[in-house]
Amino acid sequence: MSIVCMCVLLHADVYDEDMLIQEGVIDSFGIHKSSPLRGLDSRLGEGLDYASLSKENLDDISNQNTAPMLSSALLPQQYILPEPLPDWIYATAIIEVHFNDGSMRRGFANMLKNGLYITSSEVVYSASLIPRRVYVKMQDSSAPEIICVAKLHLMAVDTQSGLALLENIASTDDYCNVVQKSYYHDRIQKRVTIDVFNKTPSINPNQNVLFPYVDKYYSFVPKTMQVGEVETYYDQASATYVKYGYQLKRDWYPNFAYGKGIFDTKGNFLGLISLTYHSYLPVLVKKEVVQDFLCSLDEKKVLQDGDIAKSCAALRKRQRFF
């Protein structure tokens, strides 16, 4: 695994999205073209995947209502969440990357402990361009809207595994202006985090999984999809085929966005959407690849995080990829 640290990029092959672009599925930023709310909010620019989501789409997630903490007479109706949301929703983020040539990309990220975020290298890496500013937008349980909460710094990129790691370096207000850290920021960062070292067994092809979806109110909600067949590459050193992820079914492309975390029905992290050195189309990169990426950073002392070091040491059998 060749890891690029502090934005020094060692591997320059970039995924050619021409096929998806020509077929009208996504634009050059990996954004679904048919979204009815594109450009509706001037703060969002092009947007991600804002196709409306009916309540029926959520019926298979939960049929129970969440009672508000305060009486409806005391809270505006729009701030009362109509459905209980899984915890991982509050550790899901949208990251906005501004490059040195003035261009910008958006994608998803997943918040780990201690202010770290794991995402796809396709979101933060663009040939010879350098990320100048990275902002993260998240959703708090006290209100449904996704808002800007922090400024991030790119720590490492590995385009072979298709992964990147960022860290929180400053808190921001709703409009991404740097401010002093408050109780609100601390609550978002510590209340829920993603455990990429969970012991959940590997999933099977065609299994139902959950992913974050941005609805027409600019809020995260869970949605269901089926994963495709297993993705492999041939490793010449071991003379074996290595399983590193799962294909995405074609009917899921309207929901496509790099960095999206994928979860089982119990909320366990299964992997994220990215592009690897060996894949020609976006794939679900399984969690074991994410674990190997983080443990490699720990070994090389690029990442000095006690929780990740402890999790890496506790792995009974670490799988190595790429």
Side-chain angles (χ1 to χ4, degrees):
M1 176 180 291
S2 60
I3 296 175
V4 183
C5 308
M6 303 303 291
C7 306
V8 179
L9 303 174
L10 302 180
H11 179 70
D13 291 334
V14 181
Y15 169 57
D16 186 357
E17 295 175 330
D18 288 346
M19 185 177 75
L20 292 179
I21 295 171
Q22 289 172 5
E23 294 184 6
V25 177
I26 61 172
D27 62 13
S28 58
F29 289 101
I31 300 170
H32 184 229
K33 287 187 173 182
S34 65
S35 174
L37 296 185
R38 288 168 60 86
L40 183 61
D41 188 331
S42 61
R43 291 179 298 168
L44 305 181
E46 289 297 318
L48 285 168
D49 52 347
Y50 304 123
S52 63
L53 176 65
S54 64
K55 182 179 182 298
E56 286 75 17
N57 294 127
L58 298 179
D59 286 344
D60 57 345
I61 307 300
S62 177
N63 292 315
Q64 299 180 355
N65 292 323
T66 298
M69 295 180 64
L70 297 176
S71 166
S72 59
L74 300 178
L75 280 174
Q77 191 63 34
Q78 64 268 32
Y79 291 108
I80 300 175
L81 301 181
E83 298 284 346
L85 296 175
D87 283 346
W88 56 262
I89 284 287
Y90 305 112
T92 296
I94 292 173
I95 57 173
E96 187 175 279
V97 184
H98 299 261
F99 294 95
N100 60 327
D101 69 339
S103 62
M104 184 266 290
R105 283 189 177 183
R106 291 188 182 95
F108 281 69
N110 307 272
M111 185 173 68
L112 314 180
K113 288 183 178 180
N114 304 322
L116 298 175
Y117 291 80
I118 189 77
T119 188
S120 165
S121 60
E122 294 295 310
V123 180
V124 299
Y125 172 72
S126 183
S128 60
L129 299 181
I130 300 173
R132 291 297 189 191
R133 300 182 307 279
V134 183
Y135 299 105
V136 61
K137 299 180 180 182
M138 301 184 71
Q139 178 175 328
D140 181 52
S141 60
S142 63
E145 292 83 4
I146 300 169
I147 61 171
C148 196
V149 297
K151 185 176 182 179
L152 305 183
H153 167 70
L154 180 61
M155 296 184 68
V157 176
D158 178 18
T159 55
Q160 292 195 31
S161 64
L163 300 173
L165 185 70
L166 304 95
E167 64 177 340
N168 186 328
I169 58 171
S171 299
T172 68
D173 60 18
D174 296 4
Y175 301 99
C176 298
N177 299 307
V178 174
V179 296
Q180 185 175 0
K181 186 176 182 178
S182 66
Y183 167 79
Y184 175 74
H185 296 103
D186 196 59
R187 180 177 183 272
I188 289 179
Q189 294 172 17
K190 294 181 179 179
R191 180 174 175 268
V192 179
T193 55
I194 300 297
D195 178 16
V196 302
F197 291 92
N198 66 75
K199 301 296 191 291
T200 306
S202 297
I203 56 177
N204 299 314
N206 302 314
Q207 181 174 326
N208 286 334
V209 295
L210 303 178
F211 65 92
Y213 183 84
V214 181
D215 69 8
K216 63 181 180 181
Y217 302 109
Y218 198 49
S219 301
F220 288 130
V221 292
K223 200 172 180 181
T224 306
M225 75 166 186
Q226 282 188 343
V227 296
E229 298 300 318
V230 173
E231 279 281 333
T232 64
Y233 70 91
Y234 184 75
D235 179 50
Q236 295 187 0
S238 61
T240 59
Y241 284 94
V242 179
K243 300 177 182 179
Y244 68 90
Y246 300 86
Q247 297 174 8
L248 302 179
K249 293 190 175 182
R250 193 57 179 257
D251 60 2
W252 190 75
Y253 280 157
N255 302 302
F256 162 79
Y258 284 122
K260 276 191 175 184
I262 305 298
F263 303 83
D264 66 16
T265 54
K266 295 182 179 180
N268 295 306
F269 178 79
L270 300 175
L272 59 82
I273 306 303
S274 190
L275 189 80
T276 73
Y277 179 75
H278 295 280
S279 57
Y280 297 96
L281 291 172
V283 297
L284 165 55
V285 178
K286 65 180 187 178
K287 66 179 180 182
E288 288 81 5
V289 179
V290 178
Q291 294 171 3
D292 184 39
F293 171 65
L294 294 174
C295 292
S296 294
L297 293 178
D298 177 67
E299 286 178 346
K300 294 175 171 59
K301 306 302 181 183
V302 174
L303 176 63
Q304 298 183 4
D305 183 274
D307 289 312
I308 289 180
K310 185 177 180 180
S311 296
C312 291
L315 288 176
R316 292 184 177 179
K317 184 180 179 181
R318 174 183 164 190
Q319 293 181 261
R320 296 180 182 269
F321 301 86
F322 307 106

